[in-house]
Amino acid sequence: MTSPQPAETRTQKRSAQTATLAEIAREAGVSAPTVSKVLNGRADVAPSTRARVEDLLRAHGYRRRRAESSRSPLIDLVFHELESAWAMEVIRGVENVARDTGLSVVLSESAGRLTPGRTWADQVAARRPHGVILVLSGLDESQRALLTSRSIPFVVMDPAGDPGADVPSIGATNWQGGLAATRHLVDLGHTRIGAISGPTRMMCSRARVDGYRAALETAGLPVDPDLIVTGDFHHEAGYRQGLELLRRPDRPTAVFAGNDLQALGLYEAARELGLRIPEDLSVVGFDDLPVARWVGPPLTTVRQPLMEMAEAAARLVLDLGRDDGSPSATRVELATSLEVRSSTAAPRSPRTV
């Protein structure tokens, strides 16, 4: 049994903390209650004042103690865009974990930006959720510092760029998926294979195209830069860039569409040009959204385990929140797999130039 601390020791500890907060208030040129408001995530502090106090809190190494009772029963889920079946799979995964742990999910969108705005970070700090999951997004240094000072853990799912060695993240084997998709087309006998990538600023998109290139090079086939076009992971880009590829006099006989939505846009482009899938054109997607099984013909695609990735991100952020220390960053990649359906077949005859 531990004996109680002497009253003098307890007083010294309280005085040391009070002196630290008072010193921060003096250095910032504000009152102690203002520092307290910043620490507690209150919104009624001017942004410039908040930034000044936050800088001093970091400089003094002040860190809020973790306290389960002070947290709201929430998980913040942040998308850079929230408008597709892809997002719904992620939401379902996070909801599965949140429901089992008695938490609710707060959704927000950063309107296409790869980092949310400063106002968002202030709102999260005020909500004090159990954790934050950012999808195809990230945080700038000030946002990371703000969440860290509040002991609010965060995890990046499918990071757009390199999240850094100290940022926990959940991803998928995108390079392996691009390799498998293209190798499947090569094994069917296709030698002229196009690709519609996603945004070049996104790491997952670059990795899929790198896998595509590796499959062609391994098979001894040339990588024709004219057959690689850039999309944005939306249906319209698949249609628009698909028309560009398929109107070429030396059009490809197969296309790796980069994701399922672009594959569906490519389907539309092929129909408009009178091309049949898979007789005239083989198509491979990426994601394996539910709609991939029901389009005509059913889409061959690389299954990205979106729901499982989201569940893993939610479990990880909750585990980080339960740890009173400073856990090392975790990078987890879930395996992709090729789902072969009816949108791919051998080319009907050798291409003539």
Side-chain angles (χ1 to χ4, degrees):
M1 182 174 179
T2 304
S3 58
Q5 290 183 318
E8 181 181 359
T9 303
R10 294 196 301 269
T11 302
Q12 287 173 345
K13 286 186 175 181
R14 285 197 302 269
S15 298
Q17 180 169 327
T18 302
T20 300
L21 294 179
E23 181 180 0
I24 290 170
R26 284 196 302 273
E27 290 186 39
V30 299
S31 65
T34 298
V35 176
S36 179
K37 287 181 180 180
V38 174
L39 281 170
N40 290 305
R42 292 271 298 275
D44 53 340
V45 179
S48 59
T49 301
R50 183 186 299 279
R52 188 163 68 251
V53 173
E54 290 285 0
D55 288 343
L56 289 168
L57 288 170
R58 287 194 295 273
H60 282 268
Y62 188 91
R63 190 181 176 98
R64 176 201 295 275
R65 279 195 296 259
R66 296 183 188 270
E68 289 288 332
S69 60
S70 70
R71 294 177 181 162
S72 300
L74 303 171
I75 296 176
D76 264 71
L77 178 57
V78 186
F79 289 88
H80 87 297
E81 290 179 338
L82 183 57
E83 59 176 33
S84 71
W86 187 95
M88 290 304 302
E89 292 295 293
V90 175
I91 293 169
R92 288 192 185 100
V94 175
E95 283 278 8
N96 288 343
V97 175
R99 184 170 53 250
D100 290 344
T101 52
L103 303 177
S104 299
V105 179
V106 176
L107 294 178
S108 56
E109 183 190 48
S110 58
R113 297 188 303 269
L114 294 186
T115 56
R118 174 73 194 195
T119 303
W120 167 85
D122 290 338
Q123 291 169 348
V124 171
R127 279 195 294 270
R128 300 181 192 173
H130 275 60
V132 176
I133 301 171
L134 300 112
V135 184
L136 281 175
S137 189
L139 299 172
D140 61 29
E141 287 300 322
S142 65
Q143 292 166 340
R144 289 174 56 181
L146 179 61
L147 295 187
T148 299
S149 72
R150 302 292 185 279
S151 295
I152 299 173
F154 54 89
V155 171
V156 179
M157 178 182 156
D158 216 359
D162 182 1
D166 58 341
V167 177
S169 61
I170 304 290
T173 54
N174 289 290
W175 183 89
Q176 184 64 41
L179 180 80
T182 312
R183 183 172 287 168
H184 169 65
L185 295 170
V186 170
D187 289 345
L188 288 172
H190 295 277
T191 58
R192 190 160 178 79
I193 302 169
I196 305 175
S197 78
T200 55
R201 63 180 178 168
M202 290 186 178
M203 187 165 62
C204 62
S205 173
R206 296 196 301 271
R208 293 171 195 178
V209 175
D210 286 346
Y212 155 87
R213 289 192 179 100
L216 293 178
E217 291 169 352
T218 301
L221 296 174
V223 178
D224 185 347
D226 290 338
L227 292 184
I228 304 174
V229 294
T230 303
D232 59 10
F233 283 156
H234 290 93
H235 176 277
E236 293 80 4
Y239 168 73
R240 184 177 60 254
Q241 301 291 47
L243 286 177
E244 179 181 331
L245 285 173
L246 299 180
R247 282 173 172 159
R248 295 176 181 274
D250 54 350
R251 68 169 181 82
T253 61
V255 176
F256 170 41
N259 77 335
D260 287 353
L261 294 180
Q262 291 184 153
L264 297 181
L266 180 60
Y267 269 41
E268 187 177 342
R271 282 195 295 270
E272 185 172 308
L273 297 177
L275 298 175
R276 296 171 299 164
I277 299 173
E279 292 85 355
D280 303 312
L281 177 71
S282 286
V283 178
V284 181
F286 198 111
D287 283 334
D288 196 22
L289 298 177
V291 68
R293 301 176 183 86
W294 304 112
V295 295
L299 177 65
T300 295
T301 187
V302 176
R303 181 178 185 272
Q304 180 175 211
L306 292 170
M307 190 177 299
E308 293 91 333
M309 290 164 63
E311 290 173 344
R315 285 192 293 267
L316 177 57
V317 81
L318 294 178
D319 287 345
L320 293 173
R322 296 184 189 106
D323 193 327
D324 288 328
S326 299
S328 58
T330 303
R331 169 66 180 173
V332 177
E333 285 195 343
L334 276 64
T336 54
S337 59
L338 182 68
E339 301 292 330
V340 179
R341 300 193 178 102
S342 305
S343 67
T344 52
R348 287 193 301 173
S349 60
R351 297 292 299 168
T352 57
V353 180

